Amino acid sequence: MSDVVTGDAVVLGLQPARLPSRALAVLIDLVVVWAVYLLVTLGLAVATASLDEAAVMAVSIASFLLILVGAPIAVETLSHGRSLGKLACGLRVVRDDGGPIRFRHALVRGAMGVVEILMTFGVVACVASLVSKRGRRLGDVFAGTLVVRERIPAARVLAVPPPPPWLLGRFSGLDLSAVPESLWLEIRQYLTRARELDPAVRRQLAERLADELVARTGTPPPPGVPADAYLAGVVAERQAREARRAFGSAGMPGMPGAAGMPGVAGVAAVAGVATVSGVVGGVGVPAAGVVPPVAASPVAPAAAAPVVDSPVAGGPETTAPATGFAPPA
């Protein structure tokens, strides 16, 4: 990676393109340009058959400059540094500060390309690219440009193995604020590649990382816990904290305040009837076989009604609670 500093003093990590990818991009561009040049030359030869030798030579020089020199300059200017070959290889021409190139940069690169690519068959460009630290040819040096890779292959991400089940939640009170990111990266790399290491080297590396982690947290591991299990448990605790900060506690089972966490049974006595309700996610659910309490009337409290004989069926009947209003006649 190359540290490119922008005009705002921002450091950009860009990967300069090396000679093989640049050579392939130039080869694609040359094939396309020369194919177009040959077709245009054949057409001009037929069109200028009646002209004299001087006119034919002038037309040939003009077509050479316009197609082999002017066309690449125009393409790089309009596409901001991405010709057909660079687009196919995932490359791009940028300024030294990481910004897009302009016409003057493409003009200098194109003019120098005639000398170091066309006239010397690319020998000068190859030597300059091999000598340069960032793989630049002479046209890039004079124009103040750099060819970088736009498409970088993504690295294969290995999952961190989980800790032993008996270590889950053991480090919930550990202070991880003083642990730097570089140490987390070393621990993750060790855990993902521990099985590939020699047992003696693995044990030594795990003990060293565990000692550094203890020095940052100030809390030693529980007695009898191996160093690699301790590292896995602390990493799992950090990942759980990051997940809670990123997604919150809603919808995450097993976390305090989550919707999937079982509630606490409550007992309420209303109007002499005991009601058991289980709180699940903050919503009261009546237990099976128990009548839920009835809210009292906002006008007057419910009163116990006497049992009288029903005038219709002749059986016992409980009168309705008094509401303060006389029933209609």
Side-chain angles (χ1 to χ4, degrees):
M1 303 299 289
S2 177
D3 293 336
V4 177
V5 182
T6 65
D8 298 330
V10 178
V11 180
L12 301 177
L14 301 177
Q15 182 176 356
R18 293 304 177 183
L19 180 60
S21 58
R22 294 194 61 175
L24 180 59
V26 171
L27 182 61
I28 295 175
D29 291 336
L30 288 178
V31 169
V32 174
V33 170
W34 276 102
V36 174
Y37 176 70
L38 291 178
L39 293 178
V40 172
T41 302
L42 292 177
L44 290 177
V46 175
T48 59
S50 59
L51 299 179
D52 56 359
E53 185 178 354
V56 172
M57 183 64 64
V59 171
S60 300
I61 295 175
S63 62
F64 175 84
L65 294 177
L66 289 178
I67 298 175
L68 295 182
V69 181
I73 295 175
V75 170
E76 283 195 354
T77 302
L78 297 177
S79 63
H80 300 289
R82 285 177 293 186
S83 61
L84 183 61
K86 293 180 177 62
L87 187 63
C89 297
L91 307 181
R92 183 174 183 174
V93 183
V94 298
R95 301 197 305 260
D96 282 338
D97 58 354
I101 64 172
R102 300 184 182 277
F103 172 72
R104 63 177 182 272
H105 305 96
L107 179 61
V108 174
R109 294 186 78 255
M112 292 299 301
V114 175
V115 178
E116 59 179 338
I117 295 178
L118 296 180
M119 293 185 177
T120 61
F121 301 99
V123 176
V124 176
C126 291
V127 173
S129 181
L130 290 174
V131 173
S132 176
K133 181 180 179 180
R134 296 191 290 181
R136 301 199 300 177
R137 62 180 178 89
L138 294 180
D140 295 319
V141 174
F142 285 105
T145 57
L146 176 67
V147 180
V148 298
R149 298 187 63 88
E150 279 193 315
R151 297 195 301 266
I152 300 177
R156 186 168 57 97
V157 179
L158 300 177
V160 178
W166 49 273
L167 274 182
L168 293 176
R170 292 286 298 274
F171 306 103
S172 58
L174 201 62
D175 184 13
L176 305 177
S177 58
V179 183
E181 288 294 331
S182 58
L183 182 56
W184 287 123
L185 179 60
E186 290 185 39
I187 295 174
R188 286 196 298 266
Q189 289 178 347
Y190 163 76
L191 292 176
T192 54
R193 295 175 171 84
R195 300 187 180 210
E196 304 173 2
L197 302 176
D198 182 74
V201 177
R202 179 174 59 190
R203 182 175 60 256
Q204 182 180 2
L205 185 57
E207 291 176 355
R208 181 183 67 83
L209 294 175
D211 292 340
E212 293 185 14
L213 191 59
V214 169
R216 297 286 185 175
T217 58
T219 304
V225 176
D228 52 355
Y230 169 68
L231 295 175
V234 176
V235 169
E237 175 62 27
R238 182 175 186 261
Q239 291 176 347
R241 294 182 185 181
E242 290 180 349
R244 285 195 294 266
R245 284 196 301 265
F247 303 103
S249 60
M252 299 184 65
M255 289 190 176
M261 182 179 179
V264 181
V267 179
V270 181
V273 180
T275 304
V276 181
S277 63
V279 181
V280 180
V283 180
V285 179
V290 181
V291 180
V294 181
S297 173
V299 180
V307 179
V308 298
D309 293 336
S310 174
V312 179
E317 181 184 32
T318 304
T319 60
T323 60
F325 295 96

